[in-house]
Amino acid sequence: MSKPKVAFFDFACCEGCQLQVANIGELLIDVLDIIQVVEFREVMSEKWDGEFDVSFVEGSITDEHAVERVKKIRERSKILVALGSCATIGGVNGMKNSFNLEEVGKYVYGESYKFFPTIHTKAVHQVVKVDYFVNGCPIYIPEFVTVLKSILQGIPYYVPEYPVCVECKLNGNVCMYDRGLTCMGPVTKAGCNSWCINNGNVCYGCRGLTINPNTDGFKEVLKKYNIPEDFLIKKIEMYNKCKELDQK
């Protein structure tokens, strides 16, 4: 029985999520025992001409060329996976959507901006059908492995819809608000095992908002610690600006 043919592709991103996969370590040997990686620019130069059983796509879609390219990848893929924040929710690239695109082009490229046409940043699912999502910036490897196992078993993977705070409490962390810091944990999807907070950092909301965030409870937290709502909204938009496209 042949191994599933797996490919990795990148669009507008830092490629850090693919590096996470490449740096799995000894676990990578076990992964390669059950799949055949046929295209992965980060680690190999070979190209594959046929169909892909599974395609992982990192990065957001920011121009018409990317739109056409991701559509072609979708056509060649039995299963397509959005890999990392830029692919799943648009990521930091979505901040561009707050500004006039022509002004953004002039700011970045000067008078040559017309040679670099752009569109509003989109997450991959806003352009093509996505079968699985691996959230995070960068991705959390245990979750990546869980998603890969789900794909190979032909079963769905459900991203947790409770907030990061739940995992944070289970891990015995001191609340960042009690330490005088702001944190997106109360409204951000779990699934990362509160990875950042475990290592002394705050949650930046890179996994995206929960479907029904407890905004009233979050406002109470902000009120308790005298934190302006506008300040937190700006922090939320750092990763979640593309969500507005889903609501139109």
Side-chain angles (χ1 to χ4, degrees):
M1 183 176 178
S2 61
K3 298 178 183 179
K5 294 176 176 58
V6 177
F8 290 81
F9 300 96
D10 47 82
F11 288 82
C13 63
C14 70
E15 303 183 17
C17 292
Q18 291 171 92
L19 285 175
Q20 280 284 92
V21 176
N23 291 330
I24 287 179
E26 291 184 6
L27 182 58
L28 185 60
I29 298 175
D30 295 329
V31 170
L32 293 177
D33 276 342
I34 56 177
I35 64 173
Q36 179 186 359
V37 178
V38 295
E39 194 163 333
F40 192 170
R41 189 176 61 82
E42 287 283 347
V43 298
M44 59 194 292
S45 58
E46 292 82 0
K47 300 289 184 180
W48 182 256
D49 294 328
E51 287 190 347
F52 307 106
D53 292 300
V54 185
S55 289
F56 289 92
V57 174
E58 180 183 4
S60 53
I61 309 304
T62 58
D63 58 36
E64 293 296 345
H65 172 73
V67 170
E68 294 306 312
R69 180 169 167 249
V70 77
K71 286 181 178 178
K72 291 178 180 178
I73 292 171
R74 174 70 269 189
E75 290 173 359
R76 297 173 61 193
S77 307
K78 294 179 182 178
I79 293 173
L80 190 141
V81 187
L83 185 70
S85 295
C86 292
T88 59
I89 56 175
V92 294
N93 298 321
M95 289 190 287
K96 178 183 70 174
N97 295 357
S98 298
F99 305 94
N100 177 277
L101 294 184
E102 185 173 352
E103 291 178 0
V104 169
K106 289 180 178 179
Y107 182 83
V108 176
Y109 298 108
E111 292 305 313
S112 300
Y113 78 97
K114 292 182 180 179
F115 296 105
F116 303 94
T118 188
I119 61 174
H120 283 104
T121 299
K122 295 180 180 180
V124 175
H125 76 271
Q126 292 170 330
V127 180
V128 297
K129 179 180 180 291
V130 170
D131 302 296
Y132 290 84
F133 295 82
V134 185
N135 296 284
C137 181
I139 58 169
Y140 182 55
I141 286 301
E143 183 178 39
F144 168 79
V145 173
T146 298
V147 173
L148 182 59
K149 288 179 179 178
S150 298
I151 294 169
L152 297 178
Q153 293 177 75
I155 60 176
Y157 171 75
Y158 297 104
V159 178
E161 280 303 334
Y162 48 81
V164 171
C165 287
V166 173
E167 294 175 329
C168 204
K169 289 292 185 182
L170 290 172
N171 285 322
N173 294 316
V174 176
C175 182
M176 286 295 175
Y177 285 93
D178 289 337
R179 295 172 59 181
L181 301 170
T182 57
C183 181
M184 298 297 101
V187 292
T188 299
K189 292 178 182 178
C192 59
N193 193 37
S194 65
W195 184 20
C196 291
I197 300 93
N198 298 347
N199 289 283
N201 208 340
V202 299
C203 172
Y204 290 96
C206 72
R207 293 179 58 81
L209 300 176
T210 57
I211 290 178
N212 295 303
N214 184 5
T215 52
D216 290 338
F218 196 27
K219 288 178 180 179
E220 287 298 316
V221 172
L222 302 183
K223 183 178 179 181
K224 176 181 177 181
Y225 292 95
N226 297 314
I227 299 171
E229 287 185 26
D230 288 348
F231 175 73
L232 264 294
I233 289 174
K234 290 179 179 178
K235 293 193 73 171
I236 289 172
E237 288 183 346
M238 183 171 73
Y239 277 100
N240 294 279
K241 191 65 179 175
C242 289
K243 188 174 179 63
E244 295 175 2
L245 296 176
D246 286 330
Q247 299 168 345
K248 291 182 178 179

